[in-house]
Amino acid sequence: NSPIPLPLNEFRSCLDFDRIKNMPCGKVLGMRLWGISDLHLSFGKPKPMDIFGDYWKDHPAKIEANWRGCVGPEDVVFVPGDLSWAEDLAGATQDLEYLAQLPGTKAIVKGNHDWWWEGLGKIRKVLHKSIIPLQHTAVHLGGMAICGTRGWNIPGGFEYNETEDGPHVRREVERLKLAISALPQGTPRVALLHYPPLLKDESTPFTEVLESGNIDLCVYGHLHRTSTEAIPFNGIRNGVRYVNVSCDYLDFTPQRIS
């Protein structure tokens, strides 16, 4: 099937609320879903992002103000990667505290710059209870099932090199399968990826797994406004809704998904 591109401001929820509201597992109708990624925080060791454009100046303050202006305490926010520039878990302390004090439950996955992510066991010990890390794993939250993994440069993409990237793609595809296999049946299914699983109207190893796994919604990041070679795909393809939530594309404001 051909994709149906949708601008972000017209993006509609993939979730079937008539299906959800009768489930005993959570008060889904009382919460909203949001997404924002690539926060690139650096409170511990400042790394100014405005070298990539003036619109990045003081971006943590912009994100916090906009986040507090729209996200409620009962909401869920998907944060698919590149949260912090820190090089180790200790160095990410202030960045994680920043995320923790923002409203809502935050589901996060590892991005390509999240060097501080030292394994699921270690980070679970230090994360605030409002932050749920996903690493080839899944969680049942408020009447929906969410899984997550990092992903990788897709074959055919502008960054892809078969020699360097091929083994990583095959590994990450298996990790995505593992994450999806942990999802319970009978609930809306959400997948978080850092890397885009597609860029245009072509199947990739990742889209094939998402489709065969009956994923309803895939939220991803990684792409930035400075990239002229890759335009984010937002829309529906073969039954899966895709939305890019890189924060500079969103003017540093969480994107309402439902």
Side-chain angles (χ1 to χ4, degrees), residues 47 84-88 110-118:
K47 184 173 181 176
S84 169
W85 280 114
E87 298 179 0
D88 55 39
K110 182 179 181 179
N112 59 305
H113 290 299
D114 284 319
W115 302 304
W116 60 273
W117 190 297
E118 298 179 359

Side-chain angles (χ1 to χ4, degrees), residues 12-257:
R12 300 188 301 274
S13 169
C14 74
L15 301 181
D16 181 347
F17 283 98
D18 287 335
R19 176 181 168 198
I20 295 171
K21 67 184 179 182
N22 295 320
M23 294 183 178
C25 47
K27 297 179 180 179
V28 175
L29 291 179
M31 74 179 186
R32 298 169 297 175
L33 305 181
W34 306 84
I36 187 168
S37 72
D38 298 83
L39 277 58
H40 289 291
L41 302 173
S42 59
F43 289 112
K45 187 178 180 180
K47 184 173 181 176
M49 287 291 290
D50 55 10
I51 62 172
F52 300 107
D54 290 342
Y55 53 89
W56 279 98
K57 186 174 179 60
D58 299 323
H59 77 282
K62 295 178 185 177
I63 292 171
E64 178 169 3
N66 294 334
W67 188 308
R68 292 188 180 280
C70 58
V71 178
E74 302 300 321
D75 295 346
V76 174
V77 185
F78 303 131
V79 186
D82 280 3
L83 172 63
S84 169
W85 280 114
E87 298 179 0
D88 55 39
L89 187 53
T93 298
Q94 294 180 62
D95 300 334
L96 296 175
E97 289 175 346
Y98 166 94
L99 185 64
Q101 53 88 34
L102 293 173
T105 297
K106 285 76 69 168
I108 67 173
V109 296
K110 182 179 181 179
N112 59 305
H113 290 299
D114 284 319
W115 302 304
W116 60 273
W117 190 297
E118 298 179 359
L120 203 54
K122 287 185 178 180
I123 66 173
R124 277 175 172 164
K125 293 178 181 179
V126 302
L127 289 178
H128 186 268
K129 63 182 181 180
S130 70
I131 304 175
I132 301 173
L134 297 168
Q135 184 176 333
H136 342 311
T137 54
V139 65
H140 200 191
L141 181 64
M144 63 183 164
I146 310 167
C147 69
T149 191
R150 180 172 56 181
W152 203 262
N153 296 325
I154 57 175
F158 72 101
E159 295 179 310
Y160 185 78
N161 177 284
E162 173 58 32
T163 301
E164 297 179 1
D165 295 316
H168 292 289
V169 167
R170 290 186 282 275
R171 179 194 63 198
E172 288 297 319
V173 165
E174 292 305 312
R175 288 175 170 175
L176 179 57
K177 291 179 181 177
L178 180 65
I180 291 176
S181 72
L183 294 173
Q185 298 295 326
T187 62
R189 297 156 77 85
V190 179
L192 307 185
L193 291 169
H194 176 62
Y195 285 89
L198 81 171
L199 294 173
K200 50 188 176 180
D201 183 12
E202 292 181 358
S203 292
T204 72
F206 294 102
T207 63
E208 291 171 3
V209 173
L210 294 168
E211 292 165 15
S212 65
N214 296 315
I215 295 299
D216 298 296
L217 169 68
C218 178
V219 182
Y220 68 93
H222 184 63
L223 300 178
H224 291 288
R225 283 167 54 179
T226 51
S227 173
T228 59
E229 299 172 292
I231 305 301
F233 177 84
N234 294 286
I236 307 167
R237 188 181 193 282
N238 292 345
V240 182
R241 290 183 184 266
Y242 296 92
V243 57
N244 168 61
V245 294
S246 297
C247 69
D248 51 326
Y249 268 107
L250 307 179
D251 198 23
F252 308 99
T253 303
Q255 167 68 32
R256 176 78 181 271
I257 296 175

